């Protein structure tokens, strides 16, 4: 039985094939994301993976609606697996914001589902680190969020030579559009043409722009001029103050595909331009109002960072964590007469926090030793027949092959102190 196309199996290390996904690499990403989010004072939330279909058709935009994994459930409800977290967050925050002091700084690591055409960096399921700030309209919040984005990539070992955050503004584009638009109600169509500028043939873009009252030359000139809005200027100086300005670049080719963005928008890319976007986000000041039917009106902004492109980039730059020794000690049971005492020792070690393995059934000594090596144990430990009333342990450090014999309590102390 095959798994569905675009879905992944995550194997334990060592993974069975070079291109297999690793559960421990995934854990590494999650741990770093959580760690950095907490450093910035963000609190974790989560929501259901299945939502009413309507939540996503309201304001995510045509592109994402075309990719929904939706169906009718046994109760006749139209439902969809979540393709993104932002609508769920908006619904949750709108329902409970009164219970929290503003601004809310919330993060989540949901698994998301999009029925996309499979290609490099795009699957039908991915995990996405989401960080959002709600209830703060000042661009100081935008700078704080972008600093968090930068630091979450740095925490994974990436540097300013590996990635850049391209910063733009829907406000700037909206003003540009309003100045020349043939029909002001078609702003989102215009944003979508700009979003696809780098991927579409110039003639196609030119023709679509012409229908909206613009020339391709006008649009290109606006991008090249790259005049920062007051908000973008404020964000840049806040990042400068943190010594993070080198990680960002003003770039009006970024506009974002999702329909709900209103102000600052940004995307993180690898510097060499080999991969798709690592992360994307921006301001969505009207979404809570829309989702709450006008009851709650909170400015908001956030980003999403996927695990697929990020893992590809970390692998390409040699920044995946080395498979560290997953075991502190392998307890050898050379003499079955020592099994009961050995089990007691195993238990004591585990209670003290050590990672311990031992042979569950009788096995030859050399097979046990080989297994200890395969598992990457730091130590082997073998209980010796109690002499002079006290149990003793033979400890061997597998890296140096040094051996000691010492009383059981001392062996325990030695292993536990090294393991910590
Ligand atoms: P998005 O740009 O659609 O934004 O996705 C953010 C990131 O998720 C992308 O840059 C990419 O790394 C990853 N991603 C998206 N789709 C896939 C896929 N099919 N396969 C693998 N990775 C993928 C959002 O989803 C917004 N809701 C982010 C946000 C949060 N905006 C405000 N708050």
């Amino acid at each position: 039985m095959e798994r569905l196309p675009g879905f992944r199996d995550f194997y334990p290390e060592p993974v069975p094939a070079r291109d297999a996904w690793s559960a421990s690499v995934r854990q590494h990403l999650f741990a770093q994301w959580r760690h950095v989010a907490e450093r910035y004072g963000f609190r974790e939330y989560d929501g259901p993976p299945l939502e009413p279909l309507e939540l996503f058709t309201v304001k995510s935009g045509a592109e994402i609606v075309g990719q929904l994994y939706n169906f009718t459930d046994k109760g006749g409800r139209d439902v969809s697996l979540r393709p993104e977290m932002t609508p769920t967050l908006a619904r949750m925050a709108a329902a409970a914001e009164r219970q929290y002091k503003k601004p809310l700084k919330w993060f989540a690591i949901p698994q998301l589902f999009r029925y996309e055409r499979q290609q490099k960096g795009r699957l039908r399921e991915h995990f996405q680190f989401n960080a959002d700030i709600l209830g703060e309209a000042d661009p100081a919040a935008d700078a704080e969020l972008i600093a968090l984005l930068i630091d979450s990539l740095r925490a994974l070992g990436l540097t300013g030579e590996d990635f850049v955050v391209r910063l733009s503004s829907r406000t700037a584009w909206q003003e540009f559009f309003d100045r020349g638009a043939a029909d002001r109600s078609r702003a989102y169509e215009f944003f979508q043409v700009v979003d696809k500028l780098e991927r579409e043939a110039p003639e196609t873009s030119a023709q679509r722009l012409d229908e909206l009252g613009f020339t391709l030359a006008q649009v290109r000139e606006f991008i090249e001029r790259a005049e920062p809005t007051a908000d973008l200027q404020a964000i840049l100086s806040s990042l400068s103050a943190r010594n993070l300005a080198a990680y960002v670049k003003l770039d009006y080719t970024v506009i974002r595909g999702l329909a709900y963005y209103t102000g600052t928008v940004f995307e993180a890319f690898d510097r060499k331009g080999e991969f798709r976007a690592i992360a994307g986000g921006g301001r969505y000041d009207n979404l809570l109002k829309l989702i709450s039917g006008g009851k709650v009106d909170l400015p908001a902004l956030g980003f999403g960072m996927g695990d697929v492109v990020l893992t590809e980039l970390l692998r390409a730059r040699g920044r995946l964590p080395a498979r560290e020794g997953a075991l502190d000690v392998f307890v050898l049971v050379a003499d079955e007469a020592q099994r009961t005492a050995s089990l007691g020792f195993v238990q004591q070690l585990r209670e003290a926090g050590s990672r311990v393995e031992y042979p569950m059934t009788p096995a030859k000594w050399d097979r046990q030793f080989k297994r200890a090596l395969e598992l990457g144990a730091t130590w082997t430990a073998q209980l010796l027949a109690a002499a002079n009333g006290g149990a003793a342990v033979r400890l061997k450090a597998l890296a140096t092959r040094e051996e000691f014999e010492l009383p059981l309590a001392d062996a325990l102390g030695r292993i536990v102190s090294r393991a910590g």
Side-chain angles (χ1 to χ4, degrees), residues 84 86 114 116 121 123 126 128 132 256 260-261 277-278 302 304:
E84 58 156 338
T86 315
R114 297 183 188 180
E116 293 211 51
L123 298 173
H126 70 283
Q128 199 188 77
D132 292 80
R256 305 277 297 140
Y260 47 66
Y261 291 116
I278 309 165

Side-chain angles (χ1 to χ4, degrees), residues 155-409:
L156 290 161
L158 295 170
T159 67
E161 304 201 337
D162 299 313
F163 74 90
V164 62
V165 180
R166 292 157 64 183
L167 200 57
S168 176
S169 163
R170 277 235 177 138
T171 321
W173 275 115
Q174 182 74 51
E175 282 166 8
F176 174 89
F177 177 80
D178 288 345
R179 281 198 299 273
D183 174 357
R184 285 206 176 187
S185 68
R186 296 174 74 183
Y188 182 53
E189 257 176 86
F190 172 76
F191 294 162
Q192 283 185 305
V193 182
V194 177
D195 185 45
K196 295 201 165 48
L197 223 48
E198 289 178 313
R199 283 166 275 159
E200 203 90 77
E203 311 80 65
T204 315
S205 302
Q207 196 200 329
R208 293 188 60 195
L209 286 170
D210 183 58
E211 285 164 23
L212 296 161
F214 297 91
T215 67
L216 185 55
Q218 279 176 309
V219 166
R220 286 199 170 136
E221 201 243 343
F222 182 72
I223 292 171
E224 269 153 41
R225 228 183 321 130
E227 250 169 52
T229 60
D231 278 1
L232 289 179
Q233 220 136 28
I235 295 167
L236 289 171
S237 49
S238 170
L239 290 170
S240 269
R242 302 162 202 239
N243 226 350
L244 295 178
Y247 295 88
V248 295
K249 181 177 129 202
L250 209 139
D251 185 344
Y252 280 164
T253 53
V254 171
I255 193 163
R256 305 277 297 140
L258 291 160
Y260 47 66
Y261 291 116
T262 50
T264 310
V265 283
F266 50 89
E267 284 183 340
F269 283 90
D270 66 294
R271 284 258 185 207
K272 290 192 188 158
E274 288 171 35
F275 299 92
R276 300 192 58 143
I278 309 165
R283 261 200 184 271
Y284 51 96
D285 285 345
N286 302 328
L287 188 63
L288 270 89
K289 194 166 173 194
L290 199 83
I291 280 182
S292 67
K295 288 196 204 92
V296 175
D297 190 4
L298 274 185
L301 74 156
F303 69 80
M305 177 185 294
D307 69 324
V308 178
V309 175
L310 187 55
T311 305
E312 285 172 354
L313 175 63
L314 290 170
R315 182 173 293 131
R317 303 285 175 268
R319 301 278 157 67
L320 285 180
R323 198 162 70 79
E324 95 266 17
L327 199 63
D328 298 312
V329 55
F330 190 100
V331 174
L332 301 160
V333 186
D335 174 0
E336 283 301 316
Q338 293 294 329
R339 181 166 287 274
T340 307
S342 299
L343 282 175
F345 186 48
V346 165
Q347 186 64 23
Q348 271 185 299
L349 284 164
R350 285 178 172 165
E351 283 178 9
S354 295
R355 296 167 296 182
V356 188
E357 268 282 18
Y358 67 97
M360 280 195 267
T361 52
K364 290 217 176 77
W365 188 91
D366 51 348
R367 280 196 52 196
Q368 295 185 28
F369 190 73
K370 200 165 147 231
R371 184 85 185 119
L373 290 173
E374 280 165 6
L375 292 171
T378 308
W379 304 96
T380 56
Q382 181 180 334
L383 285 201
L384 304 170
N388 310 327
V393 175
R394 180 176 300 138
L395 264 191
K396 190 185 199 104
L398 291 186
T400 59
R401 302 288 156 107
E402 265 178 288
E403 237 179 38
F404 326 77
E405 266 178 38
L406 60 179
L408 192 136

